[in-house]
Amino acid sequence: MIKRTLVLAAFGLMVSSSMARAEGETLRVGADLAFPPFQYRDANGTPSGFEIDITNAICKEMKVKCEFVVSSFDAEIPSLMAKKVDFISPQGATEKRRKVIDFSDFVFHIPTKLVARKGSPLQPTAESLKGKHVAVQQGSIQEMYANTFWLPKGVDVVAYADQDTIYQDLIAGRLDASLSPGVAVTFGFLNKPEGKDFALTGPEVRDDKLFSIGSAYGLRQGDDKTKKLINEGLAKIIADGTWEKIKTHYFGPLEMAVKRPQ
């Protein structure tokens, strides 16, 4: 009886120790800090933005420390596959990407829009953009869409490593337009002095096969432990109002919750 008690006590210590390590472990998060207001460096060089704050809130609920590993957007999935990071910042959970990686529950939705100079007649169609220089970010769903539907019809689709360079070339006149996440353009470019001459034009660009109804954290296939932690943490910050508070801080009353098709 004494021996059995000692064995159970030792097992309890092992479980307790394992849980403590799980709670205190550090998870590496792939991030592209050139995408304000979603991800950027503040004046002190600290990772900041809507996605960073959401991720930190989830990590707090998971009782783990999250460390941001910076790379370009198109390098995030390769970094995940190479185990340089444990999960990556939210991106569109497209069918193509689901063949390579797994995703958490949806975190938010942002529409894809065309941005051009104010007064421009350009619309987000191949006919309107034929012969024009249209920017997209490398590895994005916008690049997939433009290469699939616009490039074969004579649109010059130009891929960039980051949004900041796209904005610079728009201002310099080297581009006619850019296909980009509408929220990021609105709050990261159009509301700044340098974006005063530009505007979103035309309807939201959608495609049921290429696009996803929302953005989600990317994970390695089979990493059910991390997926469960993220989903539980996300559910908690949605339920207690933290998600809405962070969203309102950056985007005001703008609706960004994921709505599933009826």
Side-chain angles (χ1 to χ4, degrees), residues 75-148:
E76 288 185 353
I77 290 180
S79 293
L80 178 68
M81 301 301 292
K83 297 186 177 181
K84 295 180 180 178
V85 295
D86 299 298
F87 65 98
I88 56 179
S89 298
Q91 58 179 257
T94 64
E95 290 184 9
K96 181 178 179 180
R97 289 172 181 159
R98 285 186 183 277
K99 293 177 181 178
V100 181
I101 64 174
D102 196 3
F103 284 92
S104 70
D105 292 340
F106 291 117
V107 184
F108 58 85
H109 168 72
I110 49 177
T112 289
K113 302 277 287 184
L114 189 74
V115 59
R117 285 194 176 273
K118 289 180 178 177
S120 169
L122 296 179
Q123 292 291 302
T125 65
E127 295 73 24
S128 177
L129 297 170
K130 185 176 181 179
K132 303 299 183 182
H133 307 301
V134 180
V136 290
Q137 187 169 1
Q138 290 174 3
S140 66
I141 56 176
Q142 290 78 25
E143 181 184 30
M144 286 189 282
Y145 182 92
N147 284 340
T148 300

Side-chain angles (χ1 to χ4, degrees), residues 240-258:
D240 68 13
T242 300
W243 184 96
E244 182 66 25
K245 182 178 179 181
I246 294 172
K247 188 275 299 181
T248 301
H249 172 74
Y250 286 97
F251 304 113
L254 184 70
E255 180 59 62
M256 291 177 63
V258 175

Side-chain angles (χ1 to χ4, degrees), residues 212-235:
S212 167
I213 63 172
S215 294
Y217 291 100
L219 308 111
R220 283 186 292 276
Q221 291 179 347
D223 187 1
D224 296 332
K225 175 186 174 183
T226 303
K227 183 176 181 177
K228 183 173 183 290
L229 285 172
I230 291 175
N231 286 345
E232 288 178 352
L234 175 61

Side-chain angles (χ1 to χ4, degrees), residues 21-39:
R21 285 199 302 274
E23 289 187 355
E25 69 179 313
T26 297
L27 295 179
R28 300 160 300 166
V29 189
D32 168 19
L33 299 184
F35 200 51
F38 288 86
Q39 301 180 42

